[in-house]
Amino acid sequence: MKNARDSLIITNNPLLAQCMEDCCEIRLFPECSYREILVKVRDLVYAGHTLYTHPLSGSVKPNETPYKSVVVSKVPHAFSAEQAGIISECIQAADKFTPRNRELTETVRRDFQLIDYTLLAGAVDFDAAAGLSKIKNI
């Protein structure tokens, strides 16, 4: 992964945490919703952390998947009004989608985890297949 020493992944995706735990620091919040992950990222951006991946990457709408992963700098640099605006707009965009009240099967959950993982792996130039090879029962 590029710039792994200064990378921190904020996620609620347990698959991503398993596959990428050796390459960078990960803060896993498995009980958090998609929106709650965005709020955690917003708090870090307000504290001066830099966004390394866009919070609304991919074409999966916030109300379609429960999983979200975002990469920020591990340490705060300087507050950026531009980045604060980006994350705030992402939260507002997520709020525009009506939540789907449906129970997801384990198979569907694993599919959404895989989508989130491969999107993030592609964004940070991480070998997604190599990460998956460490996991049993995929």
Side-chain angles (χ1 to χ4, degrees):
M1 175 198 288
K2 295 176 184 174
N3 205 16
R5 283 188 273 179
D6 186 39
S7 294
L8 171 63
I9 299 174
I10 307 301
T11 187
N12 62 353
N13 184 347
L15 176 65
L16 185 140
Q18 290 176 315
C19 292
M20 297 181 75
E21 66 187 354
D22 296 338
C23 79
C24 58
E25 185 175 332
I26 297 171
R27 290 191 192 155
L28 176 63
F29 301 96
E31 300 304 317
C32 283
S33 68
Y34 186 109
R35 186 184 192 282
E36 290 168 330
I37 292 296
L38 294 179
V39 169
K40 287 184 179 299
V41 170
R42 180 204 59 199
D43 293 347
L44 290 170
V45 168
Y46 285 5
H49 294 260
T50 303
L51 286 171
Y52 286 160
T53 60
H54 195 281
L56 293 182
S57 60
S59 61
V60 182
K61 293 179 181 73
N63 67 336
E64 292 176 345
T65 180
Y67 299 103
K68 187 68 206 157
S69 302
V70 181
V71 182
V72 298
S73 62
K74 190 182 292 187
V75 297
H77 298 286
F79 175 79
S80 166
E82 178 182 357
Q83 293 209 349
I86 289 170
I87 187 63
S88 293
E89 289 172 8
C90 291
I91 292 170
Q92 289 175 358
D95 287 344
K96 289 179 185 177
F97 291 93
T98 304
R100 292 185 177 184
N101 294 324
R102 66 184 196 263
E103 192 65 35
L104 300 177
T105 66
E106 188 57 33
T107 300
V108 172
R109 285 188 174 283
R110 284 196 308 264
D111 287 347
F112 280 130
Q113 289 173 10
L114 183 61
I115 291 167
D116 177 65
Y117 166 65
T118 54
L119 284 170
L120 188 97
V124 298
D125 198 27
F126 179 79
D127 184 349
L132 288 171
S133 70
K134 299 186 317 183
I135 308 302
K136 296 176 183 172
N137 301 327
I138 293 185

